[in-house]
Amino acid sequence: MLATFLASTPLLSESWRLCTTVAATSPRSFVTEEEGGVVYVAFPGVEMAAASDSCWRTLVALDSIGDLTLFSARRTKEDFEPVMVHAGMLNLFSTYFNPFQNQISKDPWKIRNSYSIQPPVLLTNQMLALMGNSTTKTIVITGHSIGGATASLCALWLLSYLHHISSSTSVSVLCLTFGSPMLGNDSFPRAILKERWGGNFCHVVSKHDIMPRLLFAPITPYTTQVNFLLQFWRLSMTTPGFGKLAVPISDQQQELFNFVMSCLDAATQDGEGSAPILFHPFGSYLFVSSEGAVCVDSSTAVIKMMHLLFVSGSPACSIEDHLKYGDYIKKLSLQFLNQKNSMLGNIPDSSYEAGLELAVRSSGLANQESAKECLKSTRRMGPSPTKNAAVLPIKLSKVLPYRAEIEWYKSWCDQQVDQMGYYDLFKRRRSTSKMAMKINMNRHKLARFWNNVIEMLERNELPHDLVVREKWVNASHFYKLLVEPLDIAEYYGKGTHTTRGHYIQHGRERRYEFFDRWWKDGMATAEENNERRSQFASLTQDSCFWARVEEARDWLNSVRSESDTSKLALLWDNIEKFERYAVDLIDNKEVSEDVLAKNSSYSIWVEDLKGLRELRAKVKRFPHNFNPFQDGEVIP
């Protein structure tokens, strides 16, 4: 659909025209042009050189550009590797914001020739002016070659700015690149998807162009050859007629071509033959050739298509294709696609098979079966994420009665005369109480529901932003606070901690770790509420509180028998830290009343600690009467 849309509009042709214009007239800057409510911003593919060979594979963390944080707080705190991008390309883009920094610095990449670029005020103020213009409907940011990476970072900055100011502007942002190299690590496309910005990026890649495929390979040994290509392409774009000269193919260029091909082949293999890749695709990819175009947005399928198309080329065409985007775009029209492909044999009756057949033929591959299998792998089976998200509240409503019964059970426990509380009653009487047995069944039913939600998210069967939707953040948090104490009670009631270790490190279910992140991420974007509670919480705000109590009880028991003075000091340190933590929760009324029940595990621990401290004080006053304690033994 994206390919059809772009082919039926002047966006591609106008973007490429601006790319050639900026290369010829402003090779060290950027140009803007407005046409019919669409504003184009084009960056050139400047020639760059590495300060050191290793910098071709250097990644740096992408937290911000200037003073603007690029990804919201909820994205940067996930337990994945940080978002990182190519150091040299980020440094190039940063020159638009920091033009007065020393060009001969220790940055990974430097502009080959010293020059003056436009002040950052020009870029930032011009962008803001474009958004403030009532006639501006769309901003298209484009670039060729390395300029495509610059355009991607600029679009990312602009999208982040709009998100940061919570803009209600109707201006849309689209990034169109031509022959752009890979830019970031695996976390980079994941962060973009979770911000719902994947549709704002479209990368046009020609059939054999080596540049978009270059960073799939560790090209450090080929720095000289890559720099030669960058110089050749730059001169071809800036000097009329230079690109028409025959491309000199040396043995080193042939070797580079073969090396990139072998790395692409390894990246597409499954199992032991596969090889990890440092840079990953993001957004949509429009593969163009003289036969037509095919659009892919699956990262795995993008890499496979890059490989399938590249192996059908040669070293010469892999260099020439980087300059032929204008030719391909001229042929890429809706009429051309329809007329060209509709006459190439019988079209299948199935609309899906017909679309697949047209896409494969448009790729220009001789081995069409391989391309067909690659495209089939991108087809989503079953309902769309949006439909699944629409059905999920219905499924939630069916398990809410189980949650309500557990709430009622907690209320019942808090009213019992034995004053043990919710946690301890379930832990000590679970096997003998019919009521507790029913609650235990409800606990398992709720666990199945939430585990299924997480599995659907991991299979991309739900929208990426589900985890920041207030309804699901609150529902998962309430479930965690209500039910996890029962999981802890089950764990310690069965004595599982004696064989596996304590709950937090060795027994906690993965779903609760997900819910922790969802809640913290949600709180990061919400206004802080500094008002103190006037009464105790209905549910203890630390769902692992009882697991911490159990660990603290274990520490007290260890103090009574530990003979090593250094270990004894560490135990007391842990005990006192937990005591301060628990007192703070109680003072802030962030615990439910069952924590303070007379016979709860916590209240008993407090009494035990008090008795042990009194004994410890007596030992210090009369050490000769308590010799066993000095050897690490405490005999009450």
Short mmCIF file of all heavy atoms in Angstrom, two decimals, residues 260-303:
data_model
loop_
_atom_site.label_atom_id
_atom_site.label_comp_id
_atom_site.label_asym_id
_atom_site.label_seq_id
_atom_site.Cartn_x
_atom_site.Cartn_y
_atom_site.Cartn_z
N VAL A 260 30.71 -8.38 1.69
CA VAL A 260 29.38 -7.91 2.10
C VAL A 260 28.33 -8.97 1.77
O VAL A 260 27.41 -9.23 2.57
CB VAL A 260 29.03 -6.57 1.42
CG1 VAL A 260 27.58 -6.18 1.68
CG2 VAL A 260 29.97 -5.48 1.91
N MET A 261 28.44 -9.60 0.62
CA MET A 261 27.50 -10.65 0.23
C MET A 261 27.55 -11.82 1.20
O MET A 261 26.51 -12.35 1.62
CB MET A 261 27.79 -11.14 -1.18
CG MET A 261 26.75 -12.14 -1.70
SD MET A 261 27.21 -12.88 -3.27
CE MET A 261 27.30 -11.44 -4.31
N SER A 262 28.75 -12.25 1.59
CA SER A 262 28.87 -13.38 2.51
C SER A 262 28.30 -13.03 3.89
O SER A 262 27.68 -13.88 4.54
CB SER A 262 30.34 -13.80 2.63
OG SER A 262 31.12 -12.78 3.23
N CYS A 263 28.49 -11.79 4.34
CA CYS A 263 27.94 -11.38 5.63
C CYS A 263 26.41 -11.31 5.58
O CYS A 263 25.73 -11.69 6.54
CB CYS A 263 28.51 -10.03 6.04
SG CYS A 263 30.26 -10.08 6.48
N LEU A 264 25.88 -10.84 4.46
CA LEU A 264 24.42 -10.83 4.29
C LEU A 264 23.86 -12.24 4.29
O LEU A 264 22.81 -12.53 4.88
CB LEU A 264 24.04 -10.12 2.99
CG LEU A 264 23.71 -8.64 3.06
CD1 LEU A 264 23.52 -8.07 1.67
CD2 LEU A 264 22.47 -8.39 3.91
N ASP A 265 24.57 -13.14 3.62
CA ASP A 265 24.14 -14.53 3.56
C ASP A 265 24.12 -15.13 4.96
O ASP A 265 23.17 -15.83 5.34
CB ASP A 265 25.08 -15.32 2.66
CG ASP A 265 24.68 -16.79 2.55
OD1 ASP A 265 23.57 -17.06 2.02
OD2 ASP A 265 25.44 -17.65 3.01
N ALA A 266 25.15 -14.87 5.76
CA ALA A 266 25.21 -15.40 7.13
C ALA A 266 24.12 -14.80 8.00
O ALA A 266 23.57 -15.48 8.88
CB ALA A 266 26.59 -15.11 7.74
N ALA A 267 23.77 -13.53 7.75
CA ALA A 267 22.73 -12.87 8.56
C ALA A 267 21.35 -13.44 8.29
O ALA A 267 20.45 -13.32 9.13
CB ALA A 267 22.73 -11.37 8.28
N THR A 268 21.15 -14.05 7.13
CA THR A 268 19.83 -14.59 6.78
C THR A 268 19.68 -16.07 7.11
O THR A 268 18.61 -16.64 6.93
CB THR A 268 19.56 -14.41 5.27
OG1 THR A 268 20.59 -15.08 4.53
CG2 THR A 268 19.54 -12.94 4.91
N GLN A 269 20.77 -16.70 7.60
CA GLN A 269 20.72 -18.12 7.91
C GLN A 269 20.04 -18.35 9.26
O GLN A 269 20.04 -17.48 10.13
CB GLN A 269 22.13 -18.72 7.95
CG GLN A 269 22.88 -18.63 6.63
CD GLN A 269 22.16 -19.36 5.51
OE1 GLN A 269 21.68 -20.48 5.67
NE2 GLN A 269 22.09 -18.71 4.35
N ASP A 270 19.49 -19.53 9.44
CA ASP A 270 18.90 -19.93 10.70
C ASP A 270 19.83 -20.91 11.40
O ASP A 270 20.58 -21.63 10.77
CB ASP A 270 17.53 -20.60 10.49
CG ASP A 270 16.53 -19.63 9.87
OD1 ASP A 270 16.58 -18.44 10.22
OD2 ASP A 270 15.72 -20.07 9.04
N GLY A 271 19.75 -20.93 12.72
CA GLY A 271 20.52 -21.91 13.48
C GLY A 271 21.99 -21.55 13.58
O GLY A 271 22.37 -20.38 13.67
N GLU A 272 22.84 -22.57 13.55
CA GLU A 272 24.27 -22.38 13.78
C GLU A 272 24.93 -21.56 12.68
O GLU A 272 25.96 -20.93 12.90
CB GLU A 272 24.97 -23.73 13.91
CG GLU A 272 24.52 -24.55 15.11
CD GLU A 272 25.28 -25.85 15.23
OE1 GLU A 272 26.13 -26.12 14.35
OE2 GLU A 272 25.03 -26.59 16.19
N GLY A 273 24.38 -21.57 11.49
CA GLY A 273 24.99 -20.84 10.38
C GLY A 273 24.75 -19.35 10.43
O GLY A 273 25.33 -18.60 9.65
N SER A 274 23.86 -18.90 11.32
CA SER A 274 23.53 -17.48 11.37
C SER A 274 24.65 -16.69 12.04
O SER A 274 25.43 -17.23 12.81
CB SER A 274 22.22 -17.26 12.14
OG SER A 274 22.36 -17.68 13.48
N ALA A 275 24.69 -15.40 11.73
CA ALA A 275 25.70 -14.52 12.32
C ALA A 275 25.02 -13.30 12.89
O ALA A 275 24.09 -12.76 12.29
CB ALA A 275 26.73 -14.11 11.26
N PRO A 276 25.44 -12.84 14.07
CA PRO A 276 24.81 -11.65 14.66
C PRO A 276 25.16 -10.41 13.84
O PRO A 276 26.24 -10.32 13.24
CB PRO A 276 25.45 -11.58 16.06
CG PRO A 276 26.75 -12.31 15.92
CD PRO A 276 26.51 -13.39 14.91
N ILE A 277 24.25 -9.46 13.80
CA ILE A 277 24.48 -8.22 13.07
C ILE A 277 24.42 -7.06 14.05
O ILE A 277 23.65 -7.07 15.02
CB ILE A 277 23.48 -8.02 11.92
CG1 ILE A 277 22.03 -8.07 12.44
CG2 ILE A 277 23.69 -9.04 10.83
CD1 ILE A 277 21.00 -7.79 11.37
N LEU A 278 25.24 -6.06 13.79
CA LEU A 278 25.35 -4.92 14.69
C LEU A 278 24.31 -3.85 14.40
O LEU A 278 23.79 -3.21 15.31
CB LEU A 278 26.76 -4.33 14.57
CG LEU A 278 27.21 -3.32 15.64
CD1 LEU A 278 27.16 -3.96 17.02
CD2 LEU A 278 28.62 -2.83 15.33
N PHE A 279 23.99 -3.65 13.12
CA PHE A 279 23.03 -2.63 12.71
C PHE A 279 21.76 -3.29 12.18
O PHE A 279 21.82 -4.31 11.48
CB PHE A 279 23.65 -1.74 11.62
CG PHE A 279 24.82 -0.93 12.11
CD1 PHE A 279 26.10 -1.45 12.06
CD2 PHE A 279 24.64 0.33 12.63
CE1 PHE A 279 27.19 -0.72 12.51
CE2 PHE A 279 25.72 1.08 13.09
CZ PHE A 279 26.99 0.54 13.03
N HIS A 280 20.62 -2.68 12.50
CA HIS A 280 19.33 -3.28 12.14
C HIS A 280 18.46 -2.27 11.39
O HIS A 280 18.49 -1.06 11.69
CB HIS A 280 18.60 -3.75 13.40
CG HIS A 280 19.24 -4.92 14.06
ND1 HIS A 280 18.75 -6.20 13.97
CD2 HIS A 280 20.36 -5.01 14.82
CE1 HIS A 280 19.53 -7.03 14.65
NE2 HIS A 280 20.51 -6.33 15.18
N PRO A 281 17.65 -2.75 10.44
CA PRO A 281 16.76 -1.84 9.70
C PRO A 281 15.62 -1.35 10.56
O PRO A 281 15.21 -2.00 11.53
CB PRO A 281 16.27 -2.72 8.54
CG PRO A 281 16.44 -4.12 8.99
CD PRO A 281 17.59 -4.14 9.95
N PHE A 282 15.07 -0.18 10.20
CA PHE A 282 13.91 0.37 10.89
C PHE A 282 13.01 1.04 9.86
O PHE A 282 13.47 1.45 8.79
CB PHE A 282 14.34 1.38 11.96
CG PHE A 282 14.96 2.63 11.41
CD1 PHE A 282 14.21 3.79 11.24
CD2 PHE A 282 16.30 2.65 11.04
CE1 PHE A 282 14.78 4.94 10.72
CE2 PHE A 282 16.88 3.80 10.51
CZ PHE A 282 16.12 4.94 10.35
N GLY A 283 11.73 1.14 10.17
CA GLY A 283 10.78 1.74 9.24
C GLY A 283 10.46 0.80 8.09
O GLY A 283 10.66 -0.41 8.16
N SER A 284 9.95 1.35 7.00
CA SER A 284 9.61 0.57 5.80
C SER A 284 10.70 0.70 4.76
O SER A 284 11.38 1.74 4.68
CB SER A 284 8.28 1.07 5.21
OG SER A 284 7.22 0.92 6.13
N TYR A 285 10.86 -0.34 3.96
CA TYR A 285 11.86 -0.34 2.89
C TYR A 285 11.18 -0.55 1.55
O TYR A 285 10.43 -1.52 1.38
CB TYR A 285 12.91 -1.42 3.15
CG TYR A 285 13.96 -0.98 4.13
CD1 TYR A 285 13.68 -0.89 5.48
CD2 TYR A 285 15.24 -0.62 3.70
CE1 TYR A 285 14.62 -0.45 6.39
CE2 TYR A 285 16.20 -0.18 4.61
CZ TYR A 285 15.89 -0.11 5.95
OH TYR A 285 16.84 0.32 6.84
N LEU A 286 11.43 0.35 0.62
CA LEU A 286 10.88 0.27 -0.72
C LEU A 286 12.00 -0.15 -1.66
O LEU A 286 12.89 0.64 -1.98
CB LEU A 286 10.30 1.62 -1.14
CG LEU A 286 9.59 1.67 -2.49
CD1 LEU A 286 8.33 0.80 -2.48
CD2 LEU A 286 9.22 3.12 -2.85
N PHE A 287 11.99 -1.42 -2.07
CA PHE A 287 13.02 -1.94 -2.96
C PHE A 287 12.61 -1.64 -4.40
O PHE A 287 11.55 -2.09 -4.86
CB PHE A 287 13.20 -3.45 -2.75
CG PHE A 287 13.77 -3.79 -1.40
CD1 PHE A 287 12.95 -4.15 -0.35
CD2 PHE A 287 15.14 -3.74 -1.18
CE1 PHE A 287 13.47 -4.46 0.89
CE2 PHE A 287 15.69 -4.05 0.06
CZ PHE A 287 14.85 -4.42 1.10
N VAL A 288 13.44 -0.90 -5.12
CA VAL A 288 13.11 -0.47 -6.48
C VAL A 288 14.08 -1.09 -7.48
O VAL A 288 15.24 -1.36 -7.17
CB VAL A 288 13.14 1.07 -6.61
CG1 VAL A 288 12.08 1.70 -5.74
CG2 VAL A 288 14.52 1.61 -6.25
N SER A 289 13.55 -1.33 -8.66
CA SER A 289 14.35 -1.84 -9.77
C SER A 289 13.70 -1.36 -11.06
O SER A 289 12.67 -0.68 -11.03
CB SER A 289 14.42 -3.37 -9.74
OG SER A 289 13.15 -3.93 -10.00
N SER A 290 14.25 -1.74 -12.19
CA SER A 290 13.66 -1.33 -13.47
C SER A 290 12.33 -2.03 -13.71
O SER A 290 11.54 -1.60 -14.55
CB SER A 290 14.64 -1.65 -14.61
OG SER A 290 14.96 -3.04 -14.61
N GLU A 291 12.06 -3.12 -12.99
CA GLU A 291 10.81 -3.86 -13.15
C GLU A 291 9.68 -3.31 -12.28
O GLU A 291 8.52 -3.64 -12.48
CB GLU A 291 11.02 -5.34 -12.82
CG GLU A 291 11.84 -6.11 -13.83
CD GLU A 291 13.33 -5.88 -13.63
OE1 GLU A 291 13.70 -5.26 -12.60
OE2 GLU A 291 14.12 -6.31 -14.48
N GLY A 292 9.99 -2.53 -11.26
CA GLY A 292 8.94 -2.02 -10.39
C GLY A 292 9.46 -1.83 -8.97
O GLY A 292 10.62 -1.48 -8.77
N ALA A 293 8.61 -2.08 -7.98
CA ALA A 293 8.99 -1.87 -6.59
C ALA A 293 8.19 -2.80 -5.69
O ALA A 293 7.09 -3.23 -6.03
CB ALA A 293 8.76 -0.42 -6.17
N VAL A 294 8.78 -3.13 -4.54
CA VAL A 294 8.10 -3.92 -3.52
C VAL A 294 8.45 -3.32 -2.17
O VAL A 294 9.59 -2.94 -1.93
CB VAL A 294 8.50 -5.41 -3.60
CG1 VAL A 294 9.99 -5.59 -3.44
CG2 VAL A 294 7.75 -6.23 -2.55
N CYS A 295 7.45 -3.21 -1.29
CA CYS A 295 7.63 -2.56 0.01
C CYS A 295 7.56 -3.60 1.13
O CYS A 295 6.66 -4.46 1.14
CB CYS A 295 6.57 -1.49 0.22
SG CYS A 295 6.87 -0.44 1.66
N VAL A 296 8.51 -3.53 2.07
CA VAL A 296 8.59 -4.48 3.18
C VAL A 296 8.84 -3.70 4.47
O VAL A 296 9.62 -2.74 4.47
CB VAL A 296 9.73 -5.50 2.96
CG1 VAL A 296 9.82 -6.47 4.12
CG2 VAL A 296 9.55 -6.25 1.65
N ASP A 297 8.18 -4.09 5.55
CA ASP A 297 8.42 -3.40 6.82
C ASP A 297 8.87 -4.33 7.94
O ASP A 297 9.13 -3.88 9.06
CB ASP A 297 7.17 -2.63 7.28
CG ASP A 297 5.97 -3.54 7.51
OD1 ASP A 297 6.12 -4.77 7.39
OD2 ASP A 297 4.88 -3.02 7.81
N SER A 298 8.99 -5.61 7.66
CA SER A 298 9.50 -6.56 8.66
C SER A 298 11.02 -6.56 8.61
O SER A 298 11.61 -6.73 7.53
CB SER A 298 8.97 -7.97 8.37
OG SER A 298 9.72 -8.95 9.07
N SER A 299 11.65 -6.40 9.76
CA SER A 299 13.11 -6.33 9.81
C SER A 299 13.76 -7.58 9.22
O SER A 299 14.72 -7.49 8.44
CB SER A 299 13.58 -6.13 11.26
OG SER A 299 14.98 -6.09 11.34
N THR A 300 13.23 -8.74 9.57
CA THR A 300 13.78 -9.99 9.06
C THR A 300 13.64 -10.07 7.55
O THR A 300 14.57 -10.46 6.83
CB THR A 300 13.10 -11.19 9.72
OG1 THR A 300 13.26 -11.10 11.15
CG2 THR A 300 13.68 -12.50 9.24
N ALA A 301 12.45 -9.70 7.04
CA ALA A 301 12.21 -9.76 5.60
C ALA A 301 13.06 -8.73 4.86
O ALA A 301 13.50 -8.99 3.73
CB ALA A 301 10.72 -9.54 5.31
N VAL A 302 13.29 -7.58 5.47
CA VAL A 302 14.14 -6.56 4.83
C VAL A 302 15.54 -7.12 4.60
O VAL A 302 16.11 -6.97 3.50
CB VAL A 302 14.21 -5.29 5.71
CG1 VAL A 302 15.33 -4.36 5.23
CG2 VAL A 302 12.88 -4.54 5.67
N ILE A 303 16.10 -7.76 5.61
CA ILE A 303 17.45 -8.31 5.48
C ILE A 303 17.48 -9.40 4.41
O ILE A 303 18.41 -9.48 3.59
CB ILE A 303 17.94 -8.85 6.83
CG1 ILE A 303 18.02 -7.71 7.85
CG2 ILE A 303 19.30 -9.53 6.70
CD1 ILE A 303 18.32 -8.15 9.26
#
